[in-house]
Amino acid sequence: MGGLIKSSIARKVAMALSGLFLVFFLLQHFSINFTSVFSPETFNEISHFMGTNPVVQFALQPVLIFAVIFHFVMGFILELQNNKARAVKYAKYNGGANASWVSRNMIYSGLVVLAFLGLHFYDFWVPEMVYKYVESNPEVPTRYFEELVHKFESPIRTGLYVLSFIFLALHLWHGFASSFQSVGFNNKYSAGATKFAKVFAVAIPFGFVVIALVHHFNH
């Protein structure tokens, strides 16, 4: 029994650490994309640097992909483990009395976010890989802004992105805050960290929504 508990704690810590890494990437991704709202030139410059820098392309990018896969696989494992534990320990489980709706449905918000990542990879990462490594096209430093705006011409695709960002906010609302507890961050700064996590969970997805809508209505 002790081994199972330790294993469960280790999984939660591993998932929290991968989640915190993805949150850092999300902030960086937002910071770059937000420049496209007020300065296409700056967005092109940063995107060109990120798209041609070998450290980013061949070191950080594989780590990011691994972190995404690891985080969601670990999430599914923990969900199955929690469901099994509830079935064994509780004859009646009143989820609403023990946890918020968001925390009880992390798996579903996570699935929507995962589906969104699939769409996002299909829209941006796959074409980028084909452009550079399959077709071996010459690098055009000014192409990134036009490619970004083109993706948001469709109201359906824009709507899917907006909906996905709403679910991302729900996922972050519980996940980001709970990650601090999972890694043992429990001191006088805990309340402040939790408040920061809640603000982040709303502000960053809302910022992505603004980016999508600005490019949709200004194309």
Side-chain angles (χ1 to χ4, degrees), residues 13-161:
V13 171
M15 185 174 180
L17 290 174
S18 64
L20 289 171
F21 172 78
L22 293 175
V23 163
F24 174 78
F25 164 76
L26 185 68
L27 179 60
Q28 179 247 6
H29 195 54
F30 168 76
S31 300
I32 294 173
N33 283 11
F34 193 68
T35 63
S36 69
V37 173
F38 58 85
S39 178
E41 295 79 11
T42 301
F43 176 76
N44 280 330
E45 289 177 8
I46 299 176
S47 298
H48 176 66
F49 171 79
M50 299 294 287
T52 56
N53 186 290
V55 174
V56 174
Q57 292 297 302
F58 304 115
L60 297 182
Q61 190 167 250
V63 171
L64 172 63
I65 293 173
F66 172 79
V68 170
I69 295 172
F70 178 86
H71 185 73
F72 282 97
V73 169
M74 194 60 63
F76 294 137
I77 292 174
L78 286 172
E79 180 67 15
L80 291 173
Q81 179 180 297
N82 291 338
N83 287 339
K84 186 175 181 180
R86 285 196 291 265
V88 172
K89 291 183 179 180
Y90 303 106
K92 283 187 177 181
Y93 176 74
N94 186 354
N98 293 278
S100 67
W101 183 92
V102 174
S103 65
R104 285 184 286 115
N105 292 278
M106 285 290 285
I107 188 67
Y108 300 111
S109 61
L111 285 171
V112 174
V113 174
L114 183 60
F116 160 70
L117 287 175
L119 172 63
H120 195 59
F121 269 58
Y122 173 79
D123 273 348
F124 293 98
W125 188 78
V126 172
E128 185 71 10
M129 296 300 102
V130 171
Y131 182 91
K132 291 192 295 189
Y133 303 118
V134 178
E135 298 176 349
S136 299
N137 289 304
E139 185 57 38
V140 180
T142 58
R143 66 185 171 87
Y144 300 94
F145 180 77
E146 292 182 3
E147 292 175 357
L148 174 68
V149 172
H150 174 69
K151 295 300 181 181
F152 292 111
E153 291 179 357
S154 166
I156 295 177
R157 180 177 264 100
T158 302
L160 287 174
Y161 270 78

